[in-house]
Each structure stands twice: as C-alpha cells, then as structure tokens.
Amino acid sequence: MKKDKVAVVIGPTASGKTDLSIHLAKRFDGEVISGDSMQIYRGLSIGTAKVTREEMEGVPHHLIDIKNPDEPFSAAEFQQLAREKIADINARGKLPIICGGTGLYIQSVLYDYQFSEDGTDETVRKELEAEAQKIGPGALYEQLKGVDPEAAASFHPNNVRRTIRALEIYRLKGEPASKQKRLAAPDEKYENAMIGLTMDRAVLYDRINRRVDLMIEAGLIEEARWLFEMKLKNAPAVQAIGYKELFPYLRGEQTLEEAAAVLKQNSRRYAKRQLTWFRNKMDINWFDVTDERTRDEKKQQICSLLAGKLNIR
C-alpha cells in the first residue's frame, strides 16, 4: 500500500527550525505540524518560542494551543493526533511538515511505535514520588542515569514525572524503558525526509542567550507569573524550560539576572541533549547553518533534497 508523505524539520532550540518549516511549506504547498511537547499549551507562547500569526505567513499550523496548562498530555496522544493530521493533509494533496525538537514525540509518529499499557503500578509510583520528596529530584535522576542512561538523556533532570515513569518501568520489568522502546519501533510508517539543522556550538549558545534576553523583553516574566500563580505542581507544563527557572525570582529568592542566567544555562544544556538524542535515534540529513550568509543557499539544497526523496515538485 502506498505510504503517505511527510517532511520533518528537527534541530536544537534556536537553530531556525520555524523559519525553515514555513519556507518549505510555501515552496511545496505544505502545512506545519508542531512537534514540540510544550507548544500544545495555551498561554505559554513566549517561553516556548511559539510561532506568531505574522511569522506563519498564511501557512496553516497544527497541534498548537490545544490544551490548558493543567491538562496532561502524552507522547501516545501526540502520536494519535499527529497521524490524524498527516492523513488529512495528504488526503488534501498537501505536504505535512513536522517541525519541532521533542525527539520522542517525532519518533513515535514516524515509526511503528507501540505504547505499552504494561509497566504501570500505582504503589511503585507512589513510592517513587515519596522518594523524590525525601532525597530530591536530582538524586532520583542520578538513580535513573545508573540503570537507564539512554532514557535519562532524553529529558531534563528537573522533569520528575518522566524520571519517576522511567524508574517505575525499570523496577516493574527489570529492564530499561529505552530498551523496550527500541524493540517497539522498527518500521517506518511514512515516506519521509528528515532535515536536521546544526551549527557551531558557540554560535548556537550565543543565539540561545540572546533569545532568552529577547523573550524577557517580550513579556516572559508576566507569562511565567501567570503559570506560577496557577500553583500547578506535577503538571507537565510547569516542567517547561523557560518557566520553572523564573519561579525562584517570582518567589523573591533570586534576582532576575540570576534566574535569567539559570534559564540560559538550562536552555544550552537542553540544546546539547537534543542534538545527542537526534543523532543517536534517527536517519537525518544534517545541514550546518552556522553562517547566516549561506542560509538561502542551504534552503535551496534542502528543497532539492526533499523534492528528490519525496518525489514532489
């Protein structure tokens, strides 16, 4: 049976994914599907670098602003919604373009990835939650690194929910969650072309630092205060880089300069983890976009690659 087509634009934060995805959508009559686990939340726009209406340039975007911050959202739910969008966009004769940096979400869509209902135990989870309270999330994350370093590398150490989930699976099944995921994801679901953006590390880190400064100027503090005042404890939305780092400032425990420095550091570390994850997990066509002067040339190369791989014009 003929497979649907899909293009994918991935890369670390601040690498230029949004701009490229819109360029490709306009060139190939496409529509963009957000592959970012935090852009689904309403009200969290500045800190998640959500595309603006002006930046969209008329290109339809999907899976943005579909949940409230207090609502849960999982990779399994993303897989279902994204696949529905891919089918619909293909059926209308257009090209779906997944754009984002959440590796697990994108991988779950592209491959025959089955989310098991096994490995869930409320008692074990409660024990791990109590452990996190007692020894701290950092120590719990170090435990996970000891038994499943691959899973630990796929998310931020402050993401207690995912740390607990991965340890829960390990304690119940006796094997790493990452091993089960590898066994579950061998077959490609779509005729796809994956484009990865990379750049010199120092240049990328400078872009990240400047982006944080621009976000603060654009109103990130007010956005973080709105989320902070909701008093959500374990909701995924409060784990987003860009918000929790500002909570100590909002509590009067740090200066804005100190909180901003932590935010920049965490964003840089996240970018490094993203690059490591993508390079280890998927067959990606990488393009170095360090030099701003060659961006247009790289876009032309990417368009030629997509046209060839997906047999599109």
Side-chain angles (χ1 to χ4, degrees), residues 15-294:
S15 59
K17 298 185 296 294
T18 297
D19 175 68
L20 176 61
S21 66
I22 292 168
H23 177 82
L24 296 177
K26 293 172 73 174
R27 168 66 178 78
F28 294 109
D29 192 19
E31 298 185 9
V32 177
I33 300 170
S34 171
D36 187 290
S37 62
M38 291 299 164
Q39 290 188 358
I40 60 153
Y41 291 111
R42 302 180 187 100
L44 306 186
S45 298
I46 299 171
T48 63
K50 203 174 289 179
V51 62
T52 66
R53 284 287 168 193
E54 293 75 20
E55 290 168 339
M56 289 180 188
E57 296 185 31
V59 173
H61 279 64
H62 305 276
L63 302 191
I64 294 174
D65 292 338
I66 62 171
K67 292 276 186 178
N68 292 323
D70 59 346
E71 294 180 280
F73 192 72
S74 67
E77 189 173 355
F78 176 82
Q79 180 193 64
Q80 177 188 345
L81 293 174
R83 287 180 176 176
E84 289 173 358
K85 293 295 182 184
I86 289 171
D88 173 62
I89 295 167
N90 270 276
R92 291 187 279 109
K94 296 179 179 293
L95 177 67
I97 302 166
I98 300 177
C99 174
T102 305
L104 173 61
Y105 278 32
I106 295 172
Q107 187 186 36
S108 75
V109 172
L110 298 180
Y111 300 96
D112 189 15
Y113 196 117
Q114 304 295 321
F115 287 94
S116 173
E117 294 300 322
D118 298 330
T120 300
D121 186 288
E122 191 68 23
T123 302
V124 173
R125 187 176 302 165
K126 292 295 184 187
E127 289 174 355
L128 286 164
E129 288 172 353
E131 206 170 324
Q133 290 286 331
K134 183 177 180 181
I135 66 175
L140 201 67
Y141 182 79
E142 289 300 317
Q143 282 188 28
L144 178 61
K145 283 173 65 176
V147 298
D148 192 353
E150 186 176 334
S154 70
F155 55 84
H156 192 273
N158 288 348
N159 195 327
V160 184
R161 181 180 60 87
R162 290 188 59 185
T163 300
I164 288 173
R165 178 62 184 142
L167 281 171
E168 179 187 2
I169 291 172
Y170 179 77
R171 292 189 184 182
L172 287 170
K173 292 200 164 189
E175 63 180 15
S178 58
K179 179 182 177 183
Q180 297 170 44
K181 290 172 182 175
R182 284 199 301 274
L183 293 173
D187 299 323
E188 293 186 349
K189 290 277 293 179
Y190 302 103
E191 185 180 344
N192 70 72
M194 284 186 273
I195 306 300
L197 300 183
T198 185
M199 63 177 60
D200 176 80
R201 190 68 57 87
V203 174
L204 177 63
Y205 286 177
D206 182 62
R207 285 171 63 94
I208 289 170
N209 291 340
R210 285 189 285 118
R211 175 190 258 193
V212 169
D213 290 334
L214 290 172
M215 284 178 170
I216 290 173
E217 289 176 17
L220 178 60
I221 304 302
E222 289 70 26
E223 203 170 82
R225 182 176 285 109
W226 174 75
L227 183 63
F228 176 74
E229 290 176 350
M230 293 180 74
K231 297 188 176 0
L232 304 175
K233 287 190 177 178
N234 297 315
V238 300
Q239 301 296 336
I241 293 176
Y243 298 102
K244 62 182 181 295
E245 291 84 2
L246 295 174
F247 291 175
Y249 164 69
L250 295 173
R251 289 193 293 263
E253 299 167 359
Q254 286 184 342
T255 65
L256 179 56
E257 290 73 19
E258 290 169 336
V262 173
L263 173 51
K264 291 174 182 178
Q265 182 183 61
N266 284 351
S267 298
R268 294 192 301 267
R269 288 174 174 171
Y270 177 57
K272 183 179 179 181
R273 286 196 305 275
Q274 284 177 301
L275 282 167
T276 300
W277 201 97
F278 282 123
R279 284 174 174 151
N280 290 338
K281 292 287 187 177
M282 292 185 281
D283 182 19
I284 295 165
N285 302 280
W286 289 98
F287 289 82
D288 190 305
V289 291
T290 301
D291 190 344
E292 291 279 354
R293 296 168 296 180
T294 65

